[in-house]
Amino acid sequence: MRTTLTLDDDIADALREQARLLNKPFNQIVNDALRRGLSPSPPDDRPVFRVKPHHSGFKPGIDPLKLNQLNDQLEVEEFLRKNPR
């Protein structure tokens, strides 16, 4: 099928350069690029990254919901130790 297509200059330049490097006709390069762009992407061959959870419980008496409060208290104590009144 013949059709008129308006390409951005950078795209046309890249297609012409690829046609020159591969020594193929411009229309074949355009058709190949369109086919690659329209086809579904192949599945990724990289291994799937999985996180293996492990139990990391706190010792009895440690409330994980109050760790930020504990951190704040330690920072205040450190500040007061370095900057006595």
Side-chain angles (χ1 to χ4, degrees), residues 24-44:
K24 292 184 177 181
F26 182 76
N27 65 331
Q28 183 180 350
I29 296 297
V30 171
N31 284 324
D32 290 347
L34 289 171
R35 278 189 193 93
R36 282 192 310 273
L38 293 172
S39 66
S41 57
D44 198 355

Side-chain angles (χ1 to χ4, degrees), residues 14-27 29:
L15 289 168
R16 275 192 217 100
E17 179 66 13
Q18 191 172 13
R20 185 186 68 74
L21 290 172
L22 298 175
N23 197 28
K24 292 184 177 181
F26 182 76
N27 65 331
I29 296 297

Side-chain angles (χ1 to χ4, degrees), residues 33-84:
L34 289 171
R35 278 189 193 93
R36 282 192 310 273
L38 293 172
S39 66
S41 57
D44 198 355
D45 290 340
R46 291 181 292 179
V48 177
F49 179 77
R50 301 229 186 258
V51 175
K52 296 178 183 176
H54 65 278
H55 180 70
S56 60
F58 293 98
K59 292 186 177 189
I62 303 288
D63 184 356
L65 300 177
K66 293 188 177 180
L67 290 177
N68 283 336
Q69 180 182 355
L70 176 61
N71 187 46
D72 290 342
Q73 285 176 335
L74 292 172
E75 285 182 357
V76 168
E77 289 175 10
E78 179 69 14
F79 177 79
L80 292 175
R81 188 180 63 76
K82 287 182 178 179
N83 302 303

Side-chain angles (χ1 to χ4, degrees), residues 4-15:
T4 301
L5 182 64
T6 303
L7 300 173
D8 291 342
D9 291 338
D10 60 327
I11 300 296
D13 291 343
L15 289 168

